[in-house]
PDB file of all heavy atoms in Angstrom:
ATOM      1  N   ASP A  27       0.847  -1.226   0.004  1.00  0.00           N
ATOM      2  CA  ASP A  27       0.017  -0.018   0.015  1.00  0.00           C
ATOM      3  C   ASP A  27       0.882   1.245   0.008  1.00  0.00           C
ATOM      4  O   ASP A  27       0.417   2.328  -0.414  1.00  0.00           O
ATOM      5  CB  ASP A  27      -0.965   0.052   1.167  1.00  0.00           C
ATOM      6  CG  ASP A  27      -2.136  -0.944   1.017  1.00  0.00           C
ATOM      7  OD1 ASP A  27      -2.290  -1.414  -0.097  1.00  0.00           O
ATOM      8  OD2 ASP A  27      -2.888  -1.253   2.027  1.00  0.00           O
ATOM      9  N   PHE A  28       2.079   1.179   0.458  1.00  0.00           N
ATOM     10  CA  PHE A  28       2.973   2.308   0.399  1.00  0.00           C
ATOM     11  C   PHE A  28       3.100   2.819  -0.994  1.00  0.00           C
ATOM     12  O   PHE A  28       3.265   4.013  -1.269  1.00  0.00           O
ATOM     13  CB  PHE A  28       4.353   1.982   0.974  1.00  0.00           C
ATOM     14  CG  PHE A  28       5.338   3.101   0.904  1.00  0.00           C
ATOM     15  CD1 PHE A  28       5.402   4.048   1.850  1.00  0.00           C
ATOM     16  CD2 PHE A  28       6.274   3.172  -0.159  1.00  0.00           C
ATOM     17  CE1 PHE A  28       6.334   5.168   1.711  1.00  0.00           C
ATOM     18  CE2 PHE A  28       7.179   4.220  -0.290  1.00  0.00           C
ATOM     19  CZ  PHE A  28       7.247   5.197   0.721  1.00  0.00           C
ATOM     20  N   TYR A  29       3.116   1.942  -1.962  1.00  0.00           N
ATOM     21  CA  TYR A  29       3.314   2.268  -3.376  1.00  0.00           C
ATOM     22  C   TYR A  29       2.022   2.638  -4.099  1.00  0.00           C
ATOM     23  O   TYR A  29       2.091   2.944  -5.280  1.00  0.00           O
ATOM     24  CB  TYR A  29       4.089   1.157  -4.097  1.00  0.00           C
ATOM     25  CG  TYR A  29       5.459   0.950  -3.528  1.00  0.00           C
ATOM     26  CD1 TYR A  29       5.683  -0.119  -2.577  1.00  0.00           C
ATOM     27  CD2 TYR A  29       6.541   1.754  -3.865  1.00  0.00           C
ATOM     28  CE1 TYR A  29       6.942  -0.342  -2.096  1.00  0.00           C
ATOM     29  CE2 TYR A  29       7.745   1.546  -3.310  1.00  0.00           C
ATOM     30  CZ  TYR A  29       8.042   0.511  -2.387  1.00  0.00           C
ATOM     31  OH  TYR A  29       9.242   0.289  -1.862  1.00  0.00           O
ATOM     32  N   ALA A  30       0.916   2.434  -3.453  1.00  0.00           N
ATOM     33  CA  ALA A  30      -0.355   2.739  -4.123  1.00  0.00           C
ATOM     34  C   ALA A  30      -0.566   4.204  -4.295  1.00  0.00           C
ATOM     35  O   ALA A  30      -0.118   5.057  -3.521  1.00  0.00           O
ATOM     36  CB  ALA A  30      -1.516   2.167  -3.237  1.00  0.00           C
ATOM     37  N   ALA A  31      -1.179   4.518  -5.430  1.00  0.00           N
ATOM     38  CA  ALA A  31      -1.437   5.978  -5.732  1.00  0.00           C
ATOM     39  C   ALA A  31      -2.346   6.619  -4.722  1.00  0.00           C
ATOM     40  O   ALA A  31      -2.152   7.777  -4.343  1.00  0.00           O
ATOM     41  CB  ALA A  31      -2.080   6.136  -7.141  1.00  0.00           C
ATOM     42  N   SER A  32      -3.289   5.920  -4.153  1.00  0.00           N
ATOM     43  CA  SER A  32      -4.211   6.374  -3.128  1.00  0.00           C
ATOM     44  C   SER A  32      -4.812   5.218  -2.410  1.00  0.00           C
ATOM     45  O   SER A  32      -4.874   4.092  -2.965  1.00  0.00           O
ATOM     46  CB  SER A  32      -5.266   7.320  -3.715  1.00  0.00           C
ATOM     47  OG  SER A  32      -6.083   6.590  -4.652  1.00  0.00           O
ATOM     48  N   LEU A  33      -5.314   5.429  -1.216  1.00  0.00           N
ATOM     49  CA  LEU A  33      -5.956   4.456  -0.404  1.00  0.00           C
ATOM     50  C   LEU A  33      -7.332   4.905  -0.057  1.00  0.00           C
ATOM     51  O   LEU A  33      -7.551   6.106   0.208  1.00  0.00           O
ATOM     52  CB  LEU A  33      -5.137   4.186   0.896  1.00  0.00           C
ATOM     53  CG  LEU A  33      -3.670   3.685   0.729  1.00  0.00           C
ATOM     54  CD1 LEU A  33      -3.001   3.546   2.072  1.00  0.00           C
ATOM     55  CD2 LEU A  33      -3.658   2.367  -0.072  1.00  0.00           C
ATOM     56  N   ASP A  34      -8.257   3.993  -0.063  1.00  0.00           N
ATOM     57  CA  ASP A  34      -9.655   4.345   0.290  1.00  0.00           C
ATOM     58  C   ASP A  34      -9.812   4.497   1.761  1.00  0.00           C
ATOM     59  O   ASP A  34      -8.918   4.109   2.570  1.00  0.00           O
ATOM     60  CB  ASP A  34     -10.668   3.397  -0.336  1.00  0.00           C
ATOM     61  CG  ASP A  34     -10.478   1.966   0.159  1.00  0.00           C
ATOM     62  OD1 ASP A  34     -10.009   1.771   1.261  1.00  0.00           O
ATOM     63  OD2 ASP A  34     -10.879   1.051  -0.605  1.00  0.00           O
ATOM     64  N   GLU A  35     -10.977   5.011   2.200  1.00  0.00           N
ATOM     65  CA  GLU A  35     -11.226   5.245   3.605  1.00  0.00           C
ATOM     66  C   GLU A  35     -11.142   3.951   4.430  1.00  0.00           C
ATOM     67  O   GLU A  35     -10.548   3.919   5.480  1.00  0.00           O
ATOM     68  CB  GLU A  35     -12.573   5.902   3.835  1.00  0.00           C
ATOM     69  CG  GLU A  35     -12.959   6.211   5.268  1.00  0.00           C
ATOM     70  CD  GLU A  35     -14.282   6.792   5.445  1.00  0.00           C
ATOM     71  OE1 GLU A  35     -14.927   7.215   4.434  1.00  0.00           O
ATOM     72  OE2 GLU A  35     -14.689   6.883   6.615  1.00  0.00           O
ATOM     73  N   ALA A  36     -11.754   2.868   3.955  1.00  0.00           N
ATOM     74  CA  ALA A  36     -11.793   1.577   4.663  1.00  0.00           C
ATOM     75  C   ALA A  36     -10.366   1.103   4.924  1.00  0.00           C
ATOM     76  O   ALA A  36     -10.038   0.619   6.014  1.00  0.00           O
ATOM     77  CB  ALA A  36     -12.621   0.551   3.928  1.00  0.00           C
ATOM     78  N   THR A  37      -9.498   1.168   3.896  1.00  0.00           N
ATOM     79  CA  THR A  37      -8.125   0.697   4.037  1.00  0.00           C
ATOM     80  C   THR A  37      -7.372   1.575   5.045  1.00  0.00           C
ATOM     81  O   THR A  37      -6.650   1.046   5.921  1.00  0.00           O
ATOM     82  CB  THR A  37      -7.423   0.693   2.663  1.00  0.00           C
ATOM     83  OG1 THR A  37      -8.076  -0.131   1.748  1.00  0.00           O
ATOM     84  CG2 THR A  37      -5.942   0.263   2.854  1.00  0.00           C
ATOM     85  N   LEU A  38      -7.518   2.874   4.961  1.00  0.00           N
ATOM     86  CA  LEU A  38      -6.826   3.783   5.894  1.00  0.00           C
ATOM     87  C   LEU A  38      -7.300   3.481   7.338  1.00  0.00           C
ATOM     88  O   LEU A  38      -6.450   3.424   8.230  1.00  0.00           O
ATOM     89  CB  LEU A  38      -7.088   5.206   5.571  1.00  0.00           C
ATOM     90  CG  LEU A  38      -6.379   5.703   4.262  1.00  0.00           C
ATOM     91  CD1 LEU A  38      -6.955   7.059   3.828  1.00  0.00           C
ATOM     92  CD2 LEU A  38      -4.891   5.850   4.489  1.00  0.00           C
ATOM     93  N   ARG A  39      -8.579   3.253   7.524  1.00  0.00           N
ATOM     94  CA  ARG A  39      -9.056   3.008   8.869  1.00  0.00           C
ATOM     95  C   ARG A  39      -8.504   1.621   9.397  1.00  0.00           C
ATOM     96  O   ARG A  39      -8.252   1.548  10.610  1.00  0.00           O
ATOM     97  CB  ARG A  39     -10.635   3.055   8.865  1.00  0.00           C
ATOM     98  CG  ARG A  39     -11.141   4.446   8.705  1.00  0.00           C
ATOM     99  CD  ARG A  39     -12.630   4.539   9.057  1.00  0.00           C
ATOM    100  NE  ARG A  39     -13.170   5.835   8.777  1.00  0.00           N
ATOM    101  CZ  ARG A  39     -13.026   6.888   9.607  1.00  0.00           C
ATOM    102  NH1 ARG A  39     -12.371   6.697  10.782  1.00  0.00           N
ATOM    103  NH2 ARG A  39     -13.577   8.040   9.350  1.00  0.00           N
ATOM    104  N   ARG A  40      -8.453   0.674   8.503  1.00  0.00           N
ATOM    105  CA  ARG A  40      -7.904  -0.662   8.975  1.00  0.00           C
ATOM    106  C   ARG A  40      -6.411  -0.461   9.411  1.00  0.00           C
ATOM    107  O   ARG A  40      -5.992  -1.030  10.445  1.00  0.00           O
ATOM    108  CB  ARG A  40      -7.971  -1.655   7.853  1.00  0.00           C
ATOM    109  CG  ARG A  40      -9.340  -2.285   7.677  1.00  0.00           C
ATOM    110  CD  ARG A  40      -9.326  -3.592   6.934  1.00  0.00           C
ATOM    111  NE  ARG A  40      -8.509  -3.561   5.752  1.00  0.00           N
ATOM    112  CZ  ARG A  40      -7.341  -4.173   5.628  1.00  0.00           C
ATOM    113  NH1 ARG A  40      -6.802  -4.845   6.631  1.00  0.00           N
ATOM    114  NH2 ARG A  40      -6.671  -4.117   4.476  1.00  0.00           N
ATOM    115  N   HIS A  41      -5.671   0.246   8.652  1.00  0.00           N
ATOM    116  CA  HIS A  41      -4.264   0.533   8.993  1.00  0.00           C
ATOM    117  C   HIS A  41      -4.170   1.215  10.333  1.00  0.00           C
ATOM    118  O   HIS A  41      -3.344   0.852  11.157  1.00  0.00           O
ATOM    119  CB  HIS A  41      -3.575   1.359   7.891  1.00  0.00           C
ATOM    120  CG  HIS A  41      -3.274   0.574   6.631  1.00  0.00           C
ATOM    121  ND1 HIS A  41      -2.287   0.922   5.758  1.00  0.00           N
ATOM    122  CD2 HIS A  41      -3.815  -0.528   6.140  1.00  0.00           C
ATOM    123  CE1 HIS A  41      -2.279   0.031   4.756  1.00  0.00           C
ATOM    124  NE2 HIS A  41      -3.208  -0.858   4.990  1.00  0.00           N
ATOM    125  N   LEU A  42      -4.993   2.276  10.498  1.00  0.00           N
ATOM    126  CA  LEU A  42      -4.953   3.059  11.722  1.00  0.00           C
ATOM    127  C   LEU A  42      -5.421   2.331  12.947  1.00  0.00           C
ATOM    128  O   LEU A  42      -5.053   2.689  14.066  1.00  0.00           O
ATOM    129  CB  LEU A  42      -5.752   4.353  11.561  1.00  0.00           C
ATOM    130  CG  LEU A  42      -5.119   5.378  10.567  1.00  0.00           C
ATOM    131  CD1 LEU A  42      -6.144   6.424  10.150  1.00  0.00           C
ATOM    132  CD2 LEU A  42      -3.950   5.998  11.219  1.00  0.00           C
ATOM    133  N   ALA A  43      -6.229   1.242  12.714  1.00  0.00           N
ATOM    134  CA  ALA A  43      -6.709   0.436  13.921  1.00  0.00           C
ATOM    135  C   ALA A  43      -5.608  -0.487  14.349  1.00  0.00           C
ATOM    136  O   ALA A  43      -5.705  -0.989  15.504  1.00  0.00           O
ATOM    137  CB  ALA A  43      -7.935  -0.343  13.473  1.00  0.00           C
ATOM    138  N   ALA A  44      -4.586  -0.716  13.554  1.00  0.00           N
ATOM    139  CA  ALA A  44      -3.522  -1.590  13.983  1.00  0.00           C
ATOM    140  C   ALA A  44      -2.343  -0.779  14.647  1.00  0.00           C
ATOM    141  O   ALA A  44      -2.301   0.436  14.524  1.00  0.00           O
ATOM    142  CB  ALA A  44      -2.963  -2.286  12.715  1.00  0.00           C
ATOM    143  N   PRO A  45      -1.533  -1.414  15.419  1.00  0.00           N
ATOM    144  CA  PRO A  45      -0.447  -0.754  16.168  1.00  0.00           C
ATOM    145  C   PRO A  45       0.729  -0.381  15.243  1.00  0.00           C
ATOM    146  O   PRO A  45       1.863  -0.786  15.429  1.00  0.00           O
ATOM    147  CB  PRO A  45      -0.057  -1.659  17.306  1.00  0.00           C
ATOM    148  CG  PRO A  45      -0.378  -3.017  16.713  1.00  0.00           C
ATOM    149  CD  PRO A  45      -1.640  -2.845  15.818  1.00  0.00           C
ATOM    150  N   ILE A  46       0.456   0.416  14.258  1.00  0.00           N
ATOM    151  CA  ILE A  46       1.502   0.784  13.264  1.00  0.00           C
ATOM    152  C   ILE A  46       2.479   1.831  13.782  1.00  0.00           C
ATOM    153  O   ILE A  46       2.177   2.487  14.821  1.00  0.00           O
ATOM    154  CB  ILE A  46       0.891   1.297  11.956  1.00  0.00           C
ATOM    155  CG1 ILE A  46       0.010   2.492  12.230  1.00  0.00           C
ATOM    156  CG2 ILE A  46       0.097   0.171  11.204  1.00  0.00           C
ATOM    157  CD1 ILE A  46      -0.622   3.131  10.959  1.00  0.00           C
ATOM    158  N   ALA A  47       3.595   2.006  13.179  1.00  0.00           N
ATOM    159  CA  ALA A  47       4.619   2.974  13.600  1.00  0.00           C
ATOM    160  C   ALA A  47       4.054   4.388  13.507  1.00  0.00           C
ATOM    161  O   ALA A  47       3.274   4.713  12.646  1.00  0.00           O
ATOM    162  CB  ALA A  47       5.881   2.841  12.785  1.00  0.00           C
ATOM    163  N   ILE A  48       4.597   5.273  14.375  1.00  0.00           N
ATOM    164  CA  ILE A  48       4.057   6.624  14.482  1.00  0.00           C
ATOM    165  C   ILE A  48       4.237   7.373  13.177  1.00  0.00           C
ATOM    166  O   ILE A  48       3.384   8.198  12.794  1.00  0.00           O
ATOM    167  CB  ILE A  48       4.724   7.388  15.684  1.00  0.00           C
ATOM    168  CG1 ILE A  48       4.108   8.744  15.862  1.00  0.00           C
ATOM    169  CG2 ILE A  48       6.227   7.495  15.424  1.00  0.00           C
ATOM    170  CD1 ILE A  48       2.648   8.696  16.201  1.00  0.00           C
ATOM    171  N   ARG A  49       5.412   7.139  12.463  1.00  0.00           N
ATOM    172  CA  ARG A  49       5.561   7.843  11.128  1.00  0.00           C
ATOM    173  C   ARG A  49       4.495   7.523  10.151  1.00  0.00           C
ATOM    174  O   ARG A  49       3.920   8.381   9.484  1.00  0.00           O
ATOM    175  CB  ARG A  49       6.909   7.527  10.534  1.00  0.00           C
ATOM    176  CG  ARG A  49       8.143   8.094  11.320  1.00  0.00           C
ATOM    177  CD  ARG A  49       9.401   7.786  10.599  1.00  0.00           C
ATOM    178  NE  ARG A  49      10.593   8.285  11.256  1.00  0.00           N
ATOM    179  CZ  ARG A  49      11.320   7.570  12.128  1.00  0.00           C
ATOM    180  NH1 ARG A  49      10.958   6.280  12.401  1.00  0.00           N
ATOM    181  NH2 ARG A  49      12.374   8.096  12.653  1.00  0.00           N
ATOM    182  N   ASP A  50       4.175   6.168  10.116  1.00  0.00           N
ATOM    183  CA  ASP A  50       3.123   5.708   9.211  1.00  0.00           C
ATOM    184  C   ASP A  50       1.729   6.182   9.697  1.00  0.00           C
ATOM    185  O   ASP A  50       0.870   6.620   8.881  1.00  0.00           O
ATOM    186  CB  ASP A  50       3.127   4.202   9.133  1.00  0.00           C
ATOM    187  CG  ASP A  50       2.363   3.639   8.008  1.00  0.00           C
ATOM    188  OD1 ASP A  50       2.114   4.369   6.998  1.00  0.00           O
ATOM    189  OD2 ASP A  50       2.003   2.443   7.986  1.00  0.00           O
ATOM    190  N   ARG A  51       1.515   6.219  10.959  1.00  0.00           N
ATOM    191  CA  ARG A  51       0.268   6.639  11.543  1.00  0.00           C
ATOM    192  C   ARG A  51      -0.006   8.111  11.193  1.00  0.00           C
ATOM    193  O   ARG A  51      -1.150   8.489  10.767  1.00  0.00           O
ATOM    194  CB  ARG A  51       0.218   6.422  13.035  1.00  0.00           C
ATOM    195  CG  ARG A  51      -1.109   6.870  13.738  1.00  0.00           C
ATOM    196  CD  ARG A  51      -1.111   6.448  15.177  1.00  0.00           C
ATOM    197  NE  ARG A  51      -1.052   5.000  15.306  1.00  0.00           N
ATOM    198  CZ  ARG A  51      -2.099   4.198  15.109  1.00  0.00           C
ATOM    199  NH1 ARG A  51      -3.256   4.703  14.761  1.00  0.00           N
ATOM    200  NH2 ARG A  51      -1.940   2.885  15.231  1.00  0.00           N
ATOM    201  N   SER A  52       1.004   8.954  11.424  1.00  0.00           N
ATOM    202  CA  SER A  52       0.816  10.385  11.064  1.00  0.00           C
ATOM    203  C   SER A  52       0.513  10.597   9.644  1.00  0.00           C
ATOM    204  O   SER A  52      -0.329  11.375   9.310  1.00  0.00           O
ATOM    205  CB  SER A  52       2.129  11.105  11.416  1.00  0.00           C
ATOM    206  OG  SER A  52       2.355  11.038  12.894  1.00  0.00           O
ATOM    207  N   ALA A  53       1.233   9.882   8.681  1.00  0.00           N
ATOM    208  CA  ALA A  53       0.973  10.041   7.259  1.00  0.00           C
ATOM    209  C   ALA A  53      -0.419   9.567   6.901  1.00  0.00           C
ATOM    210  O   ALA A  53      -1.154  10.207   6.141  1.00  0.00           O
ATOM    211  CB  ALA A  53       1.990   9.249   6.527  1.00  0.00           C
ATOM    212  N   LYS A  54      -0.822   8.403   7.457  1.00  0.00           N
ATOM    213  CA  LYS A  54      -2.170   7.849   7.074  1.00  0.00           C
ATOM    214  C   LYS A  54      -3.294   8.665   7.715  1.00  0.00           C
ATOM    215  O   LYS A  54      -4.359   8.795   7.136  1.00  0.00           O
ATOM    216  CB  LYS A  54      -2.199   6.441   7.477  1.00  0.00           C
ATOM    217  CG  LYS A  54      -1.430   5.494   6.569  1.00  0.00           C
ATOM    218  CD  LYS A  54      -1.691   4.052   6.793  1.00  0.00           C
ATOM    219  CE  LYS A  54      -1.061   3.209   5.692  1.00  0.00           C
ATOM    220  NZ  LYS A  54       0.351   3.275   5.564  1.00  0.00           N
ATOM    221  N   GLN A  55      -3.073   9.242   8.934  1.00  0.00           N
ATOM    222  CA  GLN A  55      -4.091  10.065   9.533  1.00  0.00           C
ATOM    223  C   GLN A  55      -4.334  11.307   8.645  1.00  0.00           C
ATOM    224  O   GLN A  55      -5.413  11.747   8.437  1.00  0.00           O
ATOM    225  CB  GLN A  55      -3.689  10.434  10.909  1.00  0.00           C
ATOM    226  CG  GLN A  55      -4.808  11.204  11.708  1.00  0.00           C
ATOM    227  CD  GLN A  55      -6.078  10.421  11.854  1.00  0.00           C
ATOM    228  OE1 GLN A  55      -6.115   9.353  12.471  1.00  0.00           O
ATOM    229  NE2 GLN A  55      -7.187  10.913  11.278  1.00  0.00           N
ATOM    230  N   ALA A  56      -3.232  11.903   8.150  1.00  0.00           N
ATOM    231  CA  ALA A  56      -3.286  13.062   7.261  1.00  0.00           C
ATOM    232  C   ALA A  56      -4.008  12.708   6.008  1.00  0.00           C
ATOM    233  O   ALA A  56      -4.889  13.477   5.495  1.00  0.00           O
ATOM    234  CB  ALA A  56      -1.871  13.594   7.009  1.00  0.00           C
ATOM    235  N   GLN A  57      -3.748  11.526   5.440  1.00  0.00           N
ATOM    236  CA  GLN A  57      -4.445  11.025   4.210  1.00  0.00           C
ATOM    237  C   GLN A  57      -5.944  10.944   4.484  1.00  0.00           C
ATOM    238  O   GLN A  57      -6.787  11.347   3.679  1.00  0.00           O
ATOM    239  CB  GLN A  57      -3.891   9.751   3.740  1.00  0.00           C
ATOM    240  CG  GLN A  57      -2.464   9.827   3.206  1.00  0.00           C
ATOM    241  CD  GLN A  57      -1.908   8.455   2.876  1.00  0.00           C
ATOM    242  OE1 GLN A  57      -2.600   7.611   2.280  1.00  0.00           O
ATOM    243  NE2 GLN A  57      -0.708   8.193   3.247  1.00  0.00           N
ATOM    244  N   LEU A  58      -6.258  10.337   5.560  1.00  0.00           N
ATOM    245  CA  LEU A  58      -7.672  10.149   5.926  1.00  0.00           C
ATOM    246  C   LEU A  58      -8.383  11.529   6.133  1.00  0.00           C
ATOM    247  O   LEU A  58      -9.551  11.696   5.581  1.00  0.00           O
ATOM    248  CB  LEU A  58      -7.849   9.285   7.122  1.00  0.00           C
ATOM    249  CG  LEU A  58      -9.246   9.001   7.642  1.00  0.00           C
ATOM    250  CD1 LEU A  58     -10.066   8.242   6.589  1.00  0.00           C
ATOM    251  CD2 LEU A  58      -9.296   8.206   8.961  1.00  0.00           C
ATOM    252  N   THR A  59      -7.796  12.355   6.781  1.00  0.00           N
ATOM    253  CA  THR A  59      -8.375  13.695   7.028  1.00  0.00           C
ATOM    254  C   THR A  59      -8.648  14.419   5.680  1.00  0.00           C
ATOM    255  O   THR A  59      -9.671  14.955   5.425  1.00  0.00           O
ATOM    256  CB  THR A  59      -7.444  14.594   7.931  1.00  0.00           C
ATOM    257  OG1 THR A  59      -7.299  13.939   9.184  1.00  0.00           O
ATOM    258  CG2 THR A  59      -8.006  15.981   8.058  1.00  0.00           C
ATOM    259  N   GLU A  60      -7.627  14.347   4.822  1.00  0.00           N
ATOM    260  CA  GLU A  60      -7.755  15.037   3.508  1.00  0.00           C
ATOM    261  C   GLU A  60      -8.862  14.264   2.682  1.00  0.00           C
ATOM    262  O   GLU A  60      -9.685  15.011   2.025  1.00  0.00           O
ATOM    263  CB  GLU A  60      -6.446  14.895   2.687  1.00  0.00           C
ATOM    264  CG  GLU A  60      -6.491  15.538   1.381  1.00  0.00           C
ATOM    265  CD  GLU A  60      -5.131  15.475   0.635  1.00  0.00           C
ATOM    266  OE1 GLU A  60      -4.205  14.865   1.212  1.00  0.00           O
ATOM    267  OE2 GLU A  60      -5.096  15.983  -0.503  1.00  0.00           O
ATOM    268  N   LEU A  61      -8.959  12.988   2.741  1.00  0.00           N
ATOM    269  CA  LEU A  61      -9.980  12.228   1.998  1.00  0.00           C
ATOM    270  C   LEU A  61     -11.415  12.624   2.510  1.00  0.00           C
ATOM    271  O   LEU A  61     -12.281  12.848   1.656  1.00  0.00           O
ATOM    272  CB  LEU A  61      -9.764  10.778   2.166  1.00  0.00           C
ATOM    273  CG  LEU A  61     -10.690   9.849   1.347  1.00  0.00           C
ATOM    274  CD1 LEU A  61     -10.547  10.067  -0.097  1.00  0.00           C
ATOM    275  CD2 LEU A  61     -10.374   8.366   1.761  1.00  0.00           C
ATOM    276  N   LEU A  62     -11.504  12.749   3.842  1.00  0.00           N
ATOM    277  CA  LEU A  62     -12.831  13.101   4.386  1.00  0.00           C
ATOM    278  C   LEU A  62     -13.256  14.510   4.008  1.00  0.00           C
ATOM    279  O   LEU A  62     -14.405  14.803   3.770  1.00  0.00           O
ATOM    280  CB  LEU A  62     -12.861  12.858   5.882  1.00  0.00           C
ATOM    281  CG  LEU A  62     -12.670  11.387   6.373  1.00  0.00           C
ATOM    282  CD1 LEU A  62     -12.567  11.356   7.931  1.00  0.00           C
ATOM    283  CD2 LEU A  62     -13.806  10.553   5.880  1.00  0.00           C
ATOM    284  N   GLN A  63     -12.284  15.370   3.998  1.00  0.00           N
ATOM    285  CA  GLN A  63     -12.493  16.784   3.652  1.00  0.00           C
ATOM    286  C   GLN A  63     -12.957  16.836   2.174  1.00  0.00           C
ATOM    287  O   GLN A  63     -13.838  17.586   1.826  1.00  0.00           O
ATOM    288  CB  GLN A  63     -11.269  17.593   3.887  1.00  0.00           C
ATOM    289  CG  GLN A  63     -10.971  17.925   5.355  1.00  0.00           C
ATOM    290  CD  GLN A  63      -9.674  18.608   5.529  1.00  0.00           C
ATOM    291  OE1 GLN A  63      -8.848  18.681   4.652  1.00  0.00           O
ATOM    292  NE2 GLN A  63      -9.491  19.198   6.756  1.00  0.00           N
ATOM    293  N   GLN A  64     -12.318  16.042   1.294  1.00  0.00           N
ATOM    294  CA  GLN A  64     -12.739  16.050  -0.071  1.00  0.00           C
ATOM    295  C   GLN A  64     -14.153  15.516  -0.246  1.00  0.00           C
ATOM    296  O   GLN A  64     -14.961  16.040  -1.034  1.00  0.00           O
ATOM    297  CB  GLN A  64     -11.783  15.139  -0.871  1.00  0.00           C
ATOM    298  CG  GLN A  64     -10.355  15.802  -1.034  1.00  0.00           C
ATOM    299  CD  GLN A  64      -9.374  14.805  -1.621  1.00  0.00           C
ATOM    300  OE1 GLN A  64      -9.714  13.629  -1.907  1.00  0.00           O
ATOM    301  NE2 GLN A  64      -8.213  15.238  -1.951  1.00  0.00           N
ATOM    302  N   ASP A  65     -14.484  14.446   0.498  1.00  0.00           N
ATOM    303  CA  ASP A  65     -15.855  13.869   0.495  1.00  0.00           C
ATOM    304  C   ASP A  65     -16.875  14.858   0.892  1.00  0.00           C
ATOM    305  O   ASP A  65     -17.956  15.023   0.346  1.00  0.00           O
ATOM    306  CB  ASP A  65     -15.905  12.588   1.288  1.00  0.00           C
ATOM    307  CG  ASP A  65     -15.142  11.509   0.705  1.00  0.00           C
ATOM    308  OD1 ASP A  65     -14.820  11.576  -0.519  1.00  0.00           O
ATOM    309  OD2 ASP A  65     -14.842  10.454   1.388  1.00  0.00           O
ATOM    310  N   ASN A  66     -16.550  15.615   1.995  1.00  0.00           N
ATOM    311  CA  ASN A  66     -17.430  16.579   2.551  1.00  0.00           C
ATOM    312  C   ASN A  66     -17.648  17.698   1.556  1.00  0.00           C
ATOM    313  O   ASN A  66     -18.769  18.267   1.380  1.00  0.00           O
ATOM    314  CB  ASN A  66     -16.956  17.161   3.899  1.00  0.00           C
ATOM    315  CG  ASN A  66     -17.046  16.153   5.020  1.00  0.00           C
ATOM    316  OD1 ASN A  66     -17.890  15.232   4.929  1.00  0.00           O
ATOM    317  ND2 ASN A  66     -16.231  16.303   5.978  1.00  0.00           N
ATOM    318  N   GLY A  67     -16.606  18.125   0.785  1.00  0.00           N
ATOM    319  CA  GLY A  67     -16.709  19.171  -0.112  1.00  0.00           C
ATOM    320  C   GLY A  67     -17.564  18.793  -1.285  1.00  0.00           C
ATOM    321  O   GLY A  67     -18.275  19.602  -1.838  1.00  0.00           O
ATOM    322  N   ARG A  68     -17.535  17.460  -1.650  1.00  0.00           N
ATOM    323  CA  ARG A  68     -18.431  17.059  -2.830  1.00  0.00           C
ATOM    324  C   ARG A  68     -19.860  17.038  -2.382  1.00  0.00           C
ATOM    325  O   ARG A  68     -20.787  17.120  -3.229  1.00  0.00           O
ATOM    326  CB  ARG A  68     -17.961  15.664  -3.255  1.00  0.00           C
ATOM    327  CG  ARG A  68     -16.673  15.717  -4.138  1.00  0.00           C
ATOM    328  CD  ARG A  68     -16.379  14.416  -4.775  1.00  0.00           C
ATOM    329  NE  ARG A  68     -16.002  13.354  -3.842  1.00  0.00           N
ATOM    330  CZ  ARG A  68     -14.733  13.084  -3.611  1.00  0.00           C
ATOM    331  NH1 ARG A  68     -13.757  13.782  -4.221  1.00  0.00           N
ATOM    332  NH2 ARG A  68     -14.415  12.137  -2.725  1.00  0.00           N
TER     333      ARG A  68
END
């Protein structure tokens, strides 16, 4: 998934529910926030 162009909300939430490393957590939380903002904008 690191090499994927984008991840959907379900995938991001699954990753964030696991005890992943803080660097990865910060990046994925930012991706999820941006994705939700885009959905809200639409």
